[in-house]
């Protein structure tokens, strides 16, 4: 499968380009970016072509990987799907329900495969834990704390990300927490409460269709010493915690690419396809509306 990379920022450099270049069943064909010089620099470092025109890249590949802000990603994903290209996308899929739905509809109409990269869903230890807990009945409640220190002066490469500064933890790490809770506790019936905390921190309470409830604490402004991710489930089976993963983002993306290849060959949608990405966007939009009312 010939695949092109859309995006040249830190995430493209740190994760996507290395993963695509090292995958034995992918032919990393080239890079397009909104900044021509950055696209050339990244492409040159992997010995691939830099494209000035995104449509020229789409004409040369079977699939695209997108490492761009979600508002930019959504439009380009629709464009790529309509060109018949399979989609390896990043979370969040989109920032509005309309944009997310447009991606889903374009992928369905074109019959292309899609995978949205929720990191935890593609790390072996955490993926196995999620599948194991999803098969257990009687969960009563879940608690997810996804606390980053991106904006706390720890030198994060994402500290200057405009969309993260605008949308905050709800949209950056909220998808990670939901990607773990939803397959275990069931879809969200509704977000029952949402409140602001210090910095960009937000707290959510979610009612799930299976009867369980969950709480989420999300932040990009936590003190570095307080940063980390924890998911705890409590129910009839007892208490269990999401295990830590030793898998790098590059390795996880390698597995996401495997999933895209499988979906393209079998025609069977992956659990983290654009439809799941849209559902996460819908929940975040609901939470955002509650937070706006709280403000």
């Amino acid at each position: 499968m010939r695949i092109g990379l859309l995006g040249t920022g830190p995430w493209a450099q740190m994760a996507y380009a290395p993963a695509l270049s090292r995958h034995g069943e992918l032919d990393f064909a080239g890079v397009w970016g909104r900044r021509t010089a950055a696209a050339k620099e990244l492409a040159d470092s992997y010995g691939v072509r830099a494209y000035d025109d995104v449509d020229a890249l789409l004409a040369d590949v079977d699939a695209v990987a997108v490492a761009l802000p979600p508002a930019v990603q959504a439009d380009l994903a629709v464009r790529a799907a309509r060109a018949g290209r399979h989609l390896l996308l990043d979370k969040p899929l989109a920032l509005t329900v309309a944009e997310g739905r447009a991606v889903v509809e374009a992928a369905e109409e074109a019959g292309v495969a899609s995978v949205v990269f929720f990191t935890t869903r593609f790390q072996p230890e955490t993926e196995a834990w999620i599948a194991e807990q999803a098969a257990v009945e009687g969960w009563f409640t879940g608690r997810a704390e996804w606390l980053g220190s991106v904006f706390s002066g720890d030198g994060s490469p994402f500290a200057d990300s405009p969309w993260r500064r605008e949308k905050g933890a709800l949209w950056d790490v909220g998808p990670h927490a939901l990607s773990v809770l939803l397959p275990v506790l069931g879809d969200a019936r509704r977000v029952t409460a949402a409140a602001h905390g210090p910095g960009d921190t937000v707290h959510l309470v979610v009612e799930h269709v299976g009867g369980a409830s969950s709480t989420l604490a999300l932040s990009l402004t936590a003190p570095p010493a307080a940063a980390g991710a924890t998911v705890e489930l409590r129910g009839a089976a007892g208490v269990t915690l999401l295990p830590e993963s030793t898998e790098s983002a590059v390795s996880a993306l390698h597995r996401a690419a495997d999933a895209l290849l499988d979906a393209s060959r079998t025609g069977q949608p992956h659990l983290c396809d654009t439809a799941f990405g849209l559902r996460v966007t819908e929940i975040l939009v609901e939470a955002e509306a509650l937070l706006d009312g709280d403000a």
Side-chain angles (χ1 to χ4, degrees):
M1 179 183 284
R2 285 175 57 81
I3 190 166
L5 174 60
L6 309 184
T8 61
W11 197 223
Q13 297 173 36
M14 296 164 52
Y16 275 85
L20 300 182
S21 67
R22 298 173 192 172
H23 197 290
E25 294 185 70
L26 295 178
D27 178 5
F28 184 19
V31 178
W32 174 87
R34 293 174 293 170
R35 295 176 294 125
T36 302
K40 185 177 188 311
E41 182 179 356
L42 183 57
D44 286 351
S45 66
Y46 287 91
V48 299
R49 177 179 170 184
Y51 286 81
D52 296 331
D53 181 358
V54 69
D55 290 313
L57 182 148
L58 293 178
D60 284 349
V61 299
D62 307 300
V64 292
V66 184
L68 287 163
V72 181
Q73 169 176 260
D75 289 341
L76 288 173
V78 169
R79 199 161 163 182
R82 288 175 176 168
R85 306 308 176 228
H86 302 298
L87 305 172
L88 178 56
L89 306 175
D90 214 89
K91 61 80 203 164
L93 175 66
L95 296 177
T96 71
V97 173
E99 289 174 344
R101 187 174 293 121
V103 178
V104 172
E105 291 174 352
E108 290 177 347
E109 289 170 3
V112 299
S114 64
V115 169
V116 181
F117 182 52
F118 296 88
T119 311
T120 310
R121 296 290 293 273
F122 294 96
Q123 295 172 314
E125 304 95 332
T126 51
E127 180 185 34
W129 181 87
I130 291 167
E132 180 181 348
Q133 308 318 317
V136 175
E137 296 183 357
W139 291 120
F140 179 68
T141 190
R143 171 178 61 88
E145 296 176 348
W146 226 280
L147 309 176
S149 56
V150 172
F151 302 140
S152 298
D154 67 343
S156 169
F158 306 109
D160 294 327
S161 167
W163 81 265
R164 286 181 176 86
R165 287 201 170 273
E166 178 187 357
K167 305 300 286 187
L170 177 67
W171 286 93
D172 188 23
V173 296
H176 288 307
L178 289 171
S179 78
V180 176
L181 293 170
L182 295 180
V184 177
L185 300 181
D187 194 11
R189 178 176 285 118
R190 63 188 180 116
V191 181
T192 60
H196 292 279
D200 75 328
T201 305
V202 297
H203 301 276
L204 308 180
V205 180
V206 178
E207 178 186 339
H208 296 267
V209 293
S213 65
S214 64
T215 60
L216 290 73
L218 313 169
S219 184
L220 297 180
T221 49
T230 300
V231 178
E232 177 188 86
L233 301 173
R234 290 178 177 266
V239 182
T240 182
L241 290 170
L242 179 74
E244 291 188 10
S245 176
T246 58
E247 190 95 336
S248 69
V250 172
S251 296
L253 259 170
H254 193 287
R255 291 167 61 85
D258 288 342
L260 183 69
L261 285 162
D262 287 344
S264 69
R265 290 165 179 159
T266 65
Q268 296 299 312
H270 189 269
L271 292 173
C272 291
D273 63 0
T274 54
F276 181 74
L278 171 60
R279 185 66 193 116
V280 170
T281 291
E282 290 171 340
I283 296 167
L284 295 175
V285 167
E286 182 181 355
E288 190 172 55
L290 288 174
L291 289 165
D292 287 345
D294 178 54

